[in-house]
Protein backbone atom coordinates (compact mmCIF):
# COMPACT_ATOMS: atom_id res chain seq x y z
CA UNK A 1 0.00 0.00 0.00
CA UNK A 2 1.46 3.35 -1.05
CA UNK A 3 1.08 5.93 1.71
CA UNK A 4 0.67 9.64 1.15
CA UNK A 5 3.40 11.96 2.37
CA UNK A 6 1.51 15.19 1.84
CA UNK A 7 2.04 16.20 5.48
CA UNK A 8 5.80 16.02 4.93
CA UNK A 9 5.57 18.10 1.75
CA UNK A 10 3.35 20.70 3.42
CA UNK A 11 5.68 20.80 6.44
CA UNK A 12 8.65 21.34 4.12
CA UNK A 13 6.96 24.29 2.41
CA UNK A 14 5.80 25.78 5.72
CA UNK A 15 9.34 25.52 7.12
CA UNK A 16 10.74 27.05 3.92
CA UNK A 17 8.31 30.00 4.26
CA UNK A 18 9.21 30.44 7.94
CA UNK A 19 12.93 30.23 7.12
CA UNK A 20 12.46 32.90 4.44
CA UNK A 21 10.76 35.21 6.95
CA UNK A 22 13.59 34.53 9.43
CA UNK A 23 16.14 35.32 6.71
CA UNK A 24 14.30 38.56 5.89
CA UNK A 25 14.41 39.65 9.55
CA UNK A 26 18.09 38.68 9.67
CA UNK A 27 18.79 40.63 6.48
CA UNK A 28 16.99 43.81 7.54
CA UNK A 29 18.20 43.90 11.16
CA UNK A 30 21.69 42.54 10.42
CA UNK A 31 21.52 40.37 13.55
CA UNK A 32 20.07 37.09 14.67
CA UNK A 33 16.56 37.73 16.01
CA UNK A 34 16.69 37.67 19.82
CA UNK A 35 14.56 35.04 21.55
CA UNK A 36 13.10 37.81 23.71
CA UNK A 37 12.40 40.20 20.83
CA UNK A 38 9.10 40.60 19.01
CA UNK A 39 9.96 38.20 16.18
CA UNK A 40 11.62 35.69 18.54
CA UNK A 41 8.71 35.66 20.95
CA UNK A 42 6.20 35.39 18.10
CA UNK A 43 7.78 32.33 16.49
CA UNK A 44 8.47 30.81 19.91
CA UNK A 45 4.86 31.17 21.01
CA UNK A 46 3.45 29.97 17.67
CA UNK A 47 5.89 27.05 17.61
CA UNK A 48 4.99 26.05 21.17
CA UNK A 49 1.26 26.27 20.38
CA UNK A 50 1.76 24.02 17.35
CA UNK A 51 3.69 21.56 19.51
CA UNK A 52 0.97 21.68 22.16
CA UNK A 53 -1.64 21.00 19.46
CA UNK A 54 0.54 18.14 18.22
CA UNK A 55 0.50 16.54 21.62
CA UNK A 56 -3.03 17.17 22.79
CA UNK A 57 -5.41 17.18 19.82
CA UNK A 58 -4.15 13.97 18.21
CA UNK A 59 -4.04 12.21 21.58
CA UNK A 60 -7.61 13.29 22.38
CA UNK A 61 -8.87 12.11 19.00
CA UNK A 62 -7.02 8.84 19.31
CA UNK A 63 -8.55 8.07 22.69
CA UNK A 64 -12.12 9.03 21.76
CA UNK A 65 -12.86 6.65 18.91
CA UNK A 66 -16.63 7.11 19.35
CA UNK A 67 -16.37 10.80 18.43
CA UNK A 68 -16.66 11.63 14.74
CA UNK A 69 -13.96 14.27 14.45
CA UNK A 70 -12.61 13.10 11.14
CA UNK A 71 -10.48 10.17 10.06
CA UNK A 72 -7.53 9.08 12.20
CA UNK A 73 -5.28 9.21 9.14
CA UNK A 74 -6.02 12.93 8.77
CA UNK A 75 -5.32 13.52 12.45
CA UNK A 76 -2.04 11.64 12.17
CA UNK A 77 -1.07 13.83 9.21
CA UNK A 78 -1.95 16.92 11.27
CA UNK A 79 0.13 15.51 14.16
CA UNK A 80 3.12 15.00 11.87
CA UNK A 81 2.79 18.43 10.23
CA UNK A 82 2.56 20.34 13.52
CA UNK A 83 5.23 18.07 15.01
CA UNK A 84 7.69 19.26 12.36
CA UNK A 85 6.74 22.91 11.90
CA UNK A 86 6.34 23.70 15.62
CA UNK A 87 9.79 22.44 16.64
CA UNK A 88 11.35 24.21 13.64
CA UNK A 89 9.88 27.49 14.89
CA UNK A 90 11.11 26.76 18.43
CA UNK A 91 14.63 26.16 17.10
CA UNK A 92 14.55 29.53 15.36
CA UNK A 93 13.20 31.10 18.58
CA UNK A 94 16.31 29.87 20.43
CA UNK A 95 18.55 32.45 18.68
CA UNK A 96 21.03 29.59 18.34
CA UNK A 97 21.80 29.58 22.09
CA UNK A 98 21.66 26.17 23.69
CA UNK A 99 22.40 26.69 27.37
CA UNK A 100 20.38 26.24 30.55
CA UNK A 101 16.80 25.03 30.70
CA UNK A 102 16.10 26.40 27.21
CA UNK A 103 18.95 24.23 25.90
CA UNK A 104 17.56 21.13 27.61
CA UNK A 105 14.13 21.91 26.17
CA UNK A 106 15.65 22.30 22.72
CA UNK A 107 17.54 19.00 23.08
CA UNK A 108 14.34 17.22 24.10
CA UNK A 109 12.58 18.85 21.13
CA UNK A 110 15.20 17.43 18.77
CA UNK A 111 14.97 13.98 20.36
CA UNK A 112 11.16 13.92 20.12
CA UNK A 113 11.22 14.98 16.45
CA UNK A 114 13.74 12.26 15.55
CA UNK A 115 11.68 9.79 17.57
CA UNK A 116 8.59 10.89 15.65
CA UNK A 117 10.24 10.17 12.32
CA UNK A 118 11.22 6.71 13.59
CA UNK A 119 7.65 6.12 14.79
CA UNK A 120 6.24 7.20 11.44
CA UNK A 121 8.52 4.72 9.68
CA UNK A 122 7.48 1.86 11.99
CA UNK A 123 3.81 2.85 11.65
CA UNK A 124 4.00 2.61 7.86
CA UNK A 125 5.34 -0.96 8.10
CA UNK A 126 1.99 -2.22 9.47
CA UNK A 127 -0.74 -2.49 6.80
CA UNK A 128 -3.66 -0.17 7.66
CA UNK A 129 -6.94 1.04 6.24
CA UNK A 130 -7.47 4.68 5.30
CA UNK A 131 -8.68 5.29 8.89
CA UNK A 132 -5.41 4.01 10.37
CA UNK A 133 -6.84 0.69 11.60
CA UNK A 134 -4.82 -2.45 10.94
CA UNK A 135 -6.12 -4.05 7.73
CA UNK A 136 -6.77 -7.78 8.25
CA UNK A 137 -6.79 -8.42 4.50
CA UNK A 138 -3.32 -6.98 3.98
CA UNK A 139 -2.00 -8.34 7.28
CA UNK A 140 -2.66 -11.86 5.96
CA UNK A 141 -0.12 -11.19 3.21
CA UNK A 142 2.57 -10.16 5.70
CA UNK A 143 4.62 -12.79 7.41
CA UNK A 144 3.47 -13.37 10.97
CA UNK A 145 6.96 -12.83 12.38
CA UNK A 146 7.43 -9.54 10.48
CA UNK A 147 4.08 -8.27 11.73
CA UNK A 148 4.89 -9.32 15.31
CA UNK A 149 8.24 -7.50 15.08
CA UNK A 150 6.60 -4.34 13.73
CA UNK A 151 4.00 -4.39 16.51
CA UNK A 152 6.70 -4.99 19.14
CA UNK A 153 8.77 -2.10 17.76
CA UNK A 154 5.71 0.17 17.75
CA UNK A 155 4.98 -0.73 21.38
CA UNK A 156 8.60 -0.06 22.38
CA UNK A 157 8.56 3.20 20.44
CA UNK A 158 5.43 4.35 22.30
CA UNK A 159 7.07 3.47 25.62
CA UNK A 160 9.96 5.80 24.74
CA UNK A 161 8.27 8.56 22.70
CA UNK A 162 5.49 9.43 25.14
CA UNK A 163 7.67 9.91 28.28
CA UNK A 164 10.13 12.02 26.27
CA UNK A 165 7.19 14.13 25.10
CA UNK A 166 6.04 14.55 28.69
CA UNK A 167 9.54 15.57 29.78
CA UNK A 168 9.69 18.01 26.87
CA UNK A 169 6.46 19.72 27.86
CA UNK A 170 7.45 19.82 31.53
CA UNK A 171 10.70 21.56 30.56
CA UNK A 172 8.88 23.85 28.10
CA UNK A 173 6.35 24.96 30.71
CA UNK A 174 9.19 25.56 33.21
CA UNK A 175 10.99 27.61 30.54
CA UNK A 176 7.86 29.64 29.81
CA UNK A 177 7.16 30.27 33.51
CA UNK A 178 10.80 31.29 34.03
CA UNK A 179 10.71 33.61 31.03
CA UNK A 180 7.50 35.21 32.28
CA UNK A 181 8.91 35.57 35.79
CA UNK A 182 12.19 37.15 34.67
CA UNK A 183 10.63 39.36 31.99
CA UNK A 184 7.66 40.71 33.93
CA UNK A 185 7.91 40.24 37.66
CA UNK A 186 11.54 41.29 38.00
CA UNK A 187 11.25 44.46 35.92
Amino acid sequence: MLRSSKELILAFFACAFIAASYAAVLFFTREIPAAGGLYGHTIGILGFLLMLMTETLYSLRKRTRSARWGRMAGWLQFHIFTGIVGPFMVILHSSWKFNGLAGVTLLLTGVIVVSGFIGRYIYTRIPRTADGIEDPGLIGVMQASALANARRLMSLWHAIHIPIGMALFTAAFAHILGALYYSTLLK
Side-chain angles (χ1 to χ4, degrees):
M1 173 185 220
L2 183 62
R3 297 197 186 266
S4 171
S5 295
K6 70 180 173 184
E7 71 277 5
L8 296 176
I9 295 165
L10 289 173
F12 172 79
F13 283 114
C15 288
F17 176 77
I18 294 162
S21 77
Y22 186 86
V25 169
L26 186 63
F27 177 77
F28 288 115
T29 63
R30 303 265 187 244
E31 59 184 23
I32 293 173
L38 177 63
Y39 184 82
H41 268 141
T42 302
I43 62 171
I45 291 167
L46 291 174
F48 176 74
L49 290 175
L50 285 175
M51 290 172 63
L52 197 57
M53 288 169 40
T54 299
E55 188 67 28
T56 56
L57 295 178
Y58 176 69
S59 295
L60 283 172
R61 172 57 181 97
K62 195 168 147 182
R63 282 156 184 69
T64 54
R65 290 200 185 267
S66 62
R68 297 286 180 211
W69 299 344
R71 293 183 11 218
M72 279 302 297
W75 281 94
L76 179 59
Q77 288 175 333
F78 174 79
H79 177 79
I80 292 168
F81 174 83
T82 57
I84 294 170
V85 176
F88 181 71
M89 294 174 84
V90 168
I91 288 170
L92 295 179
H93 161 72
S94 73
S95 298
W96 310 104
K97 295 179 182 141
F98 308 107
N99 50 352
L101 180 60
V104 170
T105 304
L106 202 55
L107 175 67
L108 287 170
T109 300
V111 170
I112 203 77
V113 169
V114 169
S115 170
F117 276 107
I118 292 168
R120 183 183 187 280
Y121 174 78
I122 296 169
Y123 182 83
T124 60
R125 300 301 107 199
I126 301 172
R128 298 179 186 276
T129 65
D131 280 334
I133 300 166
E134 288 187 21
D135 187 344
L138 292 174
I139 287 176
V141 176
M142 240 181 133
Q143 282 187 318
S145 63
L147 181 60
N149 284 338
R151 286 180 178 154
R152 194 172 19 259
L153 278 173
M154 197 71 197
S155 177
L156 175 63
W157 174 80
H158 268 111
I160 295 168
H161 187 74
I162 291 170
I164 293 171
M166 293 167 83
L168 165 62
F169 281 99
T170 301
F173 279 116
H175 168 70
I176 291 167
L177 290 174
L180 289 171
Y181 176 78
Y182 287 110
S183 69
T184 58
L185 297 177
L186 290 181
K187 280 192 174 185

